[in-house]
Amino acid sequence: MTTTLGTASADPGEIDTGRLEVGETRDGSSFGLPVAVVNGASPGKTLYMQAVSDGDELNGIGVIQRVVPRLDPAEISGTILIVGIVNYHAFQVAEHRNPIDDTKMNRAYPGNENGTSSERIAAATFAAATRADIILDLHQGSTSRMIDEVRVRCGKRHRLYEDCLELAKAFGCGYVLDQKGPDGQLARAAPDEGIPTIDPELGGTVGWDETSIQKGVEGVFNVLRYYDFLAESHDLERQTRANGFEQYGAPNGGLVDFKKELGDRVARGETLFEVTTAFGETKATVTADSDGILWRTRRLPQVASGEYICSVGTDIDSY
């Protein structure tokens, strides 16, 4: 059976690319999101995958750019639907939020086809996503520095919680943040429609980072193997899980000197960072409130009072 997404249309055993029209720009010309359809030669499940929901998070499109050329529809069972760049306007100007309505796209789901710019894009991509059996929403930690991890955002009481945990384990980054997400996230909204969804956060950088991209590529193929899109098998491996997340800000202005590296274990009371003057004089020493893992840090060393410094994943276990 022919499968279409926007102007992309593929018969079984074919791949096609096209555009999903979602509105007009300020000069009245129409614009569309780049989409692809991979229609496997054999029937099976449907995977939906998207990237660049936030316009400065490019590792996801780096993953898609490397995955699609490796897909042979003759060897695939099922269908893969892809939206390569979701936040069209933010991507054009390399900003996090949609500049048309100053909205973070991953707070706009399930969207509104008659709403704001972001709500309209969210509605169009949500309609595509909810055609699937499983969903991968590829992100990164914006331009901060962050470990490669997968987020399960539906919450522990959700009926699809175990299915989302399984999908995160199949992706296999090694780290999972298991914490209910804010309203409007695709990984919150799609499970309500009965579709297991995860939010891989592939590092954090300015531009893109090849190491994180390769982890994402491996994760996508892990999912394709585990859910029988490909004939090869994939064995699940235990993941290190954080069930909480603590953020730390600067008590003073100055320069940050981290005492721990990303991914390091930290103990309650252990020094995370110091704030110093331009001459290396210590102005403040900040210690961990809980045991955990240094999960995310700011990129630039200069800070003002109260500015974000880092995050620690807490309540650590494995599954």
Side-chain angles (χ1 to χ4, degrees):
M1 183 175 68
T2 301
T3 300
T4 63
L5 178 58
T7 62
S9 180
D11 290 329
E14 294 182 345
I15 295 178
D16 194 27
T17 60
R19 292 274 169 172
L20 176 64
E21 188 170 324
V22 288
E24 296 184 346
T25 62
R26 286 170 171 164
D27 66 0
S29 57
S30 62
F31 74 93
L33 312 180
V35 297
V37 174
V38 183
N39 195 348
S42 303
K45 298 181 177 70
T46 297
L47 167 68
Y48 173 81
M49 181 164 52
Q50 69 174 35
V52 198
S53 173
D54 299 306
D56 60 352
E57 298 187 3
L58 305 183
N59 281 341
I61 187 61
V63 171
I64 288 170
Q65 187 192 54
R66 290 156 179 76
V67 165
V68 172
R70 291 173 55 182
L71 297 175
D72 182 354
E75 299 178 353
I76 291 174
S77 299
T79 304
I80 306 170
L81 305 175
I82 305 171
V83 178
I85 298 169
V86 172
N87 199 337
Y88 175 93
H89 299 290
F91 176 80
Q92 300 299 325
V93 293
E95 293 180 0
H96 191 74
R97 301 163 72 91
N98 182 347
I100 303 300
D101 55 17
D102 191 33
T103 296
K104 182 174 170 66
M105 182 70 69
N106 203 28
R107 300 294 184 273
Y109 285 95
N112 179 350
E113 63 182 9
N114 297 310
T116 66
S117 172
S118 294
E119 289 172 339
R120 290 171 186 240
I121 294 172
T125 53
F126 194 69
T130 50
R131 294 165 56 186
D133 298 293
I134 52 176
I135 295 172
L136 303 178
D137 184 13
L138 302 176
H139 285 264
Q140 69 181 55
S142 188
T143 57
S144 300
R145 298 173 61 247
M146 194 166 74
I147 62 175
D148 300 294
E149 44 115 333
V150 175
R151 298 192 171 183
V152 173
R153 303 306 248 162
C154 64
K156 291 178 170 60
R157 295 185 178 182
H158 198 282
R159 60 192 171 93
L160 287 191
Y161 173 64
E162 295 295 338
D163 297 296
C164 291
L165 273 185
E166 184 178 16
L167 178 55
K169 193 170 187 176
F171 195 90
C173 255
Y175 292 94
V176 171
L177 177 63
D178 182 5
Q179 187 181 59
K180 189 174 183 178
D183 289 341
Q185 291 189 324
L186 180 58
R188 275 284 308 276
D192 289 345
E193 301 298 318
I195 307 167
T197 305
I198 57 170
D199 175 354
E201 295 274 353
L202 302 171
T205 188
V206 177
W208 57 24
D209 174 74
E210 195 62 36
T211 300
S212 292
I213 288 171
Q214 287 305 318
K215 281 202 174 182
V217 171
E218 292 169 11
V220 171
F221 277 99
N222 288 344
V223 167
L224 292 176
R225 294 181 182 110
Y226 184 75
Y227 289 94
D228 299 324
F229 291 88
L230 295 172
E232 302 95 331
S233 62
H234 171 64
D235 295 328
L236 298 182
E237 298 180 357
R238 293 189 72 84
Q239 305 292 295
T240 298
R241 174 171 58 175
N243 294 280
F245 210 45
E246 294 178 349
Q247 296 192 16
Y248 295 81
N252 305 86
L255 299 166
V256 177
D257 180 14
F258 284 103
K259 301 303 180 182
K260 289 287 184 179
E261 298 293 330
L262 279 176
D264 281 354
R265 291 271 182 162
V266 299
R268 183 171 183 258
E270 196 170 5
T271 299
L272 293 173
F273 61 88
E274 293 179 348
V275 180
T276 73
T277 69
F279 306 106
E281 303 159 303
T282 300
K283 298 179 70 176
T285 299
V286 175
T287 60
D289 294 331
S290 307
D291 296 344
I293 294 172
L294 186 58
W295 207 267
R296 181 175 181 174
T297 72
R298 68 179 289 106
R299 182 165 298 279
L300 298 175
Q302 64 269 39
V303 293
S305 298
E307 196 166 4
Y308 172 81
I309 301 291
C310 66
S311 301
V312 173
T314 62
D315 191 10
I316 303 297
D317 63 8
S318 67
Y319 76 100

